[in-house]
Amino acid sequence: MPVYKAPLRDMKFLLNEVFDYPGHYTRLKTGENATPDIVDAILNECGKFCEEVLSPLYQSGDEEGCKLDNGEVITPTGYREAYQQYAQGGWQGLSAPEAYGGQGLPASMGLFKQEMMGTANWSFSMYPGLSMGAMNTIFLHGSEDQKQTYLVPLTEGRWGGTMCLTEPQCGTDLGQVKTKAAPQEDGSFKLSGTKIFISSGDHDLTENIVHIVLARLPDAPKGTRGISLFIVPKFLPDGNGGVGKANGVTCGSLEKKMGIKASATCVMNFDEATGFLIGPENEGLNCMFTFMNTARIGTAIQGVGPAELSYQWALDYARDRRSMRALSGKKEPDQVADSLIHHADVRRMLLTQKAIAEGGRAMLYYAARLADHMVEGHTTGDEKKADAYDDRLGFLTPILKGFLTELGNEAANLGVQVFGGHGYIREHGMEQIVRDTRIATLYEGTTGIQALDLLGRKVLLMTQGGAVREFTLKVANFARKTLTDKRVRPFSVELLKLTAQWNVLTVRLMLAARKDRDVVSSAANDFLMYSGYVTMAYMWARMAAVASDKLEKGGSDSEDFYRAKLATAEFYYERLLPRAQAHATGMLSPTRSLMQLAPEHMAFTD
Ligand SMILES: Cc1cc2nc3c(=O)[nH]c(=O)nc-3n(C[C@H](O)[C@H](O)[C@H](O)COP(=O)(O)OP(=O)(O)OC[C@H]3O[C@@H](n4cnc5c(N)ncnc54)[C@H](O)[C@@H]3O)c2cc1C
């Protein structure tokens, strides 16, 4: 079974040459300690941990899975030791505030770490990932007392975190949440109800687990306006940073699922469990959105990670495995046959994976700069700045989450295809990547919900197309500036056409939606995918522009590296970007063909 290699050259190309993170960090208050040497050392160290500790547990964790023993969840062999190494290495607090025991580095550093960990072993990375979401929520909405009690052990990795939203009757429509919270005289609450599908709901990695739970107060308004947010610890804090008596929250069972088997997905029972209100009453869903936005960008990584991992392993295989002769003549005449890599159709698959992995990574790192500014706004109390960056990031979040996870699934499937029948056999790990990746388009808001959020809420309702205008203006300005570079010009010309088209499509949908209410739902997925392809095209043009410049003036990597970037950009523009036009056609199609069949006429079985 192959192992993961951290793609440090590609990461450093993006950080240092495309997005000027060294300059970005000097302008950030939290960036003071993120000097190039330190960033370099952290990335190298994290890469080593992922390659040597997490990657070897990837397949064994899948084979063994989690077990429920006497009400306690046991993670697969090696997970506890790996987690201890992770916590002792201070990795959980990398970008957490220094005031609560973190290292205070910019949020983006946490994302680079998460990418490598998630690619090496997604199941493992779920445990610290969920804790991160809990930390962010408590940091933004908790009282000072709650921060003191929970943030330090979470930051140290001694305690873990979860998000408990989903119930049997609702995952998307959280207005239907039934879990109850009864106020107590001492100001605490007693929570009762059942949550399902709770990632990291119980496990043996940490001494305590801090559940962030959505529940209803008595007489709360119906729907989403009557939901509040609570902290419910597995063990009540003892007041000295340790754990006290057990709370009424237990794991009822473990879900049996398609993939990410080493990640415990639990049914959680709250039986008069003591909880503490976090944020204002009945505004739980708003507070939870903080959690969800962080989690959604985190989940977008689950598009890039599998593309990268599957590409690495498929590439190795395609170099070794031999089959027939290349159509253009023998490439390895001394061998019995040519390697797979010489066949154009195999290259189509490999280059699609490569373009998705590297293009997707660029999208994430582009967004991570915005996240740094947003977080800085929050930490320094500059809410205006925080809101401005939240808006810019808010537009990109559904594109990153929805589009990248859809493409991650495609890339993972292509990895199986490159292996032929061997891809379907477990020992190579390729089918595991497919199974593990499948969840990414479902949790943290399905692709359908991301698409509605993008088109319905952020583009049409909240900004009447303004979000698209603002983003495309940036893209068009970049394209105009690069028209003079002959290597980049074809990309710039295409980008200019697409930015104009994106705005026209938005206006046409806005007008159509006024006449037919089903338009938004029927067009949303095509609009999301179109937006994704254009955003990725912008990233490939930016990478190509830097590569072209470095070929002229010299850069920190080899000429071959920069030529490969230009070649992959060309592949993306010629072979993947044309898909945007099918989505443009799809989104403008009338709703009739979708809506005309009555539900009882969808099938004739009796
Ligand atoms: C492995 C795993 C881990 C998970 N981890 C967690 C966790 O840690 N915490 C947690 O709280 N939850 C978790 N979940 C739950 C997950 O977030 C939900 O499953 C997800 O949000 C979808 O909700 P649902 O399953 O109820 O699907 P539904 O809401 O029933 O949706 C079914 C389908 O209908 C579509 N749909 C629904 N409403 C609309 C609409 N209005 N318009 C158009 N289409 C619509 C959806 O896009 C989807 O395709 C996890 C789930 C799994 C499988």
Side-chain angles (χ1 to χ4, degrees):
M1 165 121 174
V3 288
Y4 164 68
K5 278 291 299 161
L8 292 169
R9 273 172 83 175
D10 197 54
M11 292 171 74
K12 288 176 190 175
F13 166 68
L14 289 175
L15 296 184
N16 300 328
E17 299 189 320
V18 179
F19 295 122
D20 184 24
Y21 267 86
H24 166 67
Y25 286 154
T26 58
R27 292 186 287 276
L28 276 183
K29 292 192 183 71
T30 48
E32 206 180 29
N33 295 329
T35 59
D37 286 353
I38 293 201
V39 172
D40 220 45
I42 290 175
L43 293 181
N44 292 343
E45 205 47 42
C46 185
K48 215 166 112 197
F49 174 69
C50 295
E51 290 171 2
E52 293 174 5
V53 180
L54 299 187
S55 178
L57 297 175
Y58 180 65
Q59 199 177 25
S60 59
D62 178 63
E63 295 285 345
E64 194 179 332
C66 293
K67 292 181 193 79
L68 186 61
D69 182 18
N70 227 354
E72 304 280 329
V73 174
I74 316 288
T75 54
T77 309
Y79 274 56
R80 272 178 68 80
E81 292 73 15
Y83 185 83
Q84 266 158 22
Q85 249 182 284
Y86 169 82
Q88 278 159 12
W91 290 109
Q92 187 65 8
L94 190 69
S95 48
E98 283 172 296
Y100 303 104
Q103 295 173 42
L105 287 163
S108 50
M109 292 291 298
L111 188 117
F112 309 144
K113 170 196 81 174
Q114 222 178 324
E115 182 208 323
M116 287 190 268
M117 287 179 55
T119 311
N121 189 332
W122 187 264
S123 285
F124 179 92
S125 75
M126 294 275 291
Y127 296 99
L130 268 296
S131 301
M132 208 63 221
M135 285 160 65
N136 290 341
T137 307
I138 296 172
F139 180 71
L140 280 183
H141 304 291
S143 64
E144 194 46 46
D145 193 36
Q146 289 171 334
K147 289 182 195 171
Q148 294 296 344
T149 307
Y150 296 100
L151 279 183
V152 174
L154 278 166
T155 302
E156 288 171 356
R158 271 192 298 123
W159 295 5
T162 72
M163 59 193 276
C164 297
L165 288 70
T166 306
E167 297 185 5
Q169 73 287 359
C170 66
T172 302
D173 184 6
L174 293 169
Q176 296 183 44
V177 158
K178 285 186 189 157
T179 298
K180 289 194 169 65
Q184 305 297 299
E185 279 183 3
D186 64 357
S188 69
F189 296 81
K190 291 281 184 208
L191 274 83
S192 302
T194 297
K195 298 281 177 183
I196 63 165
F197 298 170
I198 304 308
S199 303
S200 319
D202 193 57
H203 54 76
D204 55 359
L205 303 181
T206 56
E207 65 185 31
N208 201 3
I209 300 174
V210 181
H211 302 286
I212 306 283
V213 186
L214 284 184
R216 276 182 190 288
L217 292 166
D219 307 320
K222 284 209 170 73
T224 50
R225 295 213 177 119
I227 294 177
S228 305
L229 197 58
F230 299 86
I231 298 177
V232 184
K234 177 177 176 182
F235 293 101
L236 292 166
D238 68 359
N240 297 314
V243 293
K245 79 179 185 27
N247 202 359
V249 45
T250 48
C251 173
S253 63
L254 279 174
E255 309 286 3
K256 297 190 179 63
K257 55 191 196 293
M258 177 177 180
I260 55 164
K261 295 195 178 195
S263 160
T265 310
C266 307
V267 173
M268 298 302 296
N269 296 322
F270 294 82
D271 186 12
E272 301 221 321
T274 302
F276 308 96
L277 183 71
I278 178 168
E281 284 183 9
N282 297 329
E283 285 183 29
L285 219 50
N286 282 345
C287 298
M288 200 79 191
F289 262 111
T290 324
F291 201 134
M292 290 201 266
N293 277 333
T294 329
R296 282 173 182 174
I297 298 187
T299 313
I301 296 176
Q302 206 182 356
V304 174
E308 173 67 40
L309 190 64
S310 183
Y311 174 59
Q312 287 190 8
W313 295 356
L315 180 60
D316 277 353
Y317 192 79
R319 282 175 172 149
D320 278 359
R321 174 96 175 164
R322 299 181 184 284
S323 176
M324 300 164 70
R325 292 293 178 191
L327 292 182
S328 52
K330 288 182 184 176
K331 296 291 183 269
E332 295 163 290
D334 303 343
Q335 301 290 342
V336 61
D338 289 336
S339 322
L340 294 178
I341 200 157
H342 296 298
H343 298 301
D345 187 53
V346 176
R347 284 173 162 261
R348 169 189 64 77
M349 297 190 272
L350 291 170
L351 283 166
T352 301
Q353 293 183 298
K354 181 176 167 67
I356 292 171
E358 294 175 13
R361 179 172 302 116
M363 285 168 73
L364 289 175
Y365 290 14
Y366 174 81
R369 278 182 56 138
L370 304 178
D372 279 342
H373 285 296
M374 183 188 79
V375 171
E376 181 163 286
H378 285 305
T379 40
T380 56
D382 184 349
E383 292 307 322
K384 216 168 132 194
K385 175 174 176 168
D387 286 348
Y389 280 96
D390 196 16
D391 284 348
R392 287 176 62 188
L393 195 59
F395 170 68
L396 289 174
T397 306
I399 301 178
L400 294 174
K401 200 295 183 175
F403 172 75
L404 290 181
T405 58
E406 289 290 337
L407 262 61
N409 271 281
E410 177 183 344
N413 267 303
L414 286 173
V416 170
Q417 201 69 17
V418 170
F419 271 68
H422 296 271
Y424 201 69
I425 303 300
R426 289 184 79 156
E427 74 179 270
H428 297 288
M430 302 308 283
E431 58 83 45
Q432 185 188 340
I433 304 177
V434 172
R435 284 187 289 106
D436 285 355
T437 308
R438 189 62 190 85
I439 185 60
T441 65
L442 299 167
Y443 58 14
E444 300 308 337
T446 59
T447 306
I449 295 307
Q450 301 303 328
L452 281 177
D453 181 44
L454 176 69
L455 178 63
R457 224 164 69 84
K458 290 172 174 159
V459 171
L460 298 185
L461 199 66
M462 285 166 61
T463 65
Q464 289 82 46
V468 174
R469 282 195 296 281
E470 192 188 320
F471 184 67
T472 50
L473 189 65
K474 266 189 211 326
V475 180
N477 283 341
F478 163 83
R480 269 182 223 107
K481 271 196 227 140
T482 46
L483 280 170
T484 48
D485 181 333
K486 67 176 190 319
R487 291 193 192 96
V488 185
R489 191 180 149 77
F491 310 140
S492 313
V493 170
E494 189 59 28
L495 272 183
L496 284 171
K497 284 189 219 154
L498 288 165
T499 49
Q501 185 188 34
W502 197 352
N503 281 290
V504 171
L505 291 168
T506 305
V507 172
R508 288 187 64 179
L509 289 178
M510 201 160 12
L511 296 174
R514 283 188 194 150
K515 292 191 199 128
D516 177 354
R517 295 224 158 203
D518 282 324
V519 161
V520 174
S521 186
S522 83
N525 184 274
D526 281 315
F527 187 82
L528 174 99
M529 296 305 286
Y530 175 93
S531 306
Y533 281 115
V534 179
T535 307
M536 196 179 262
Y538 173 41
M539 293 300 119
W540 270 113
R542 286 190 63 162
M543 289 190 276
V546 171
S548 171
D549 185 59
K550 298 296 174 194
L551 280 172
E552 291 296 318
K553 300 178 189 150
S556 52
D557 216 308
S558 66
E559 289 198 356
D560 285 341
F561 178 90
Y562 298 120
R563 283 203 194 94
K565 283 287 166 205
L566 282 162
T568 314
E570 195 178 324
F571 170 83
Y572 180 80
Y573 272 75
E574 281 185 10
R575 300 252 165 187
L576 299 185
L577 187 57
R579 297 176 184 184
Q581 295 314 313
H583 291 295
T585 308
M587 76 177 86
L588 294 178
S589 303
T591 59
R592 208 176 107 84
S593 62
L594 285 174
M595 306 310 286
Q596 65 186 347
L597 268 184
E600 62 274 22
H601 294 158
M602 297 286 271
F604 295 90
T605 45
D606 5 274

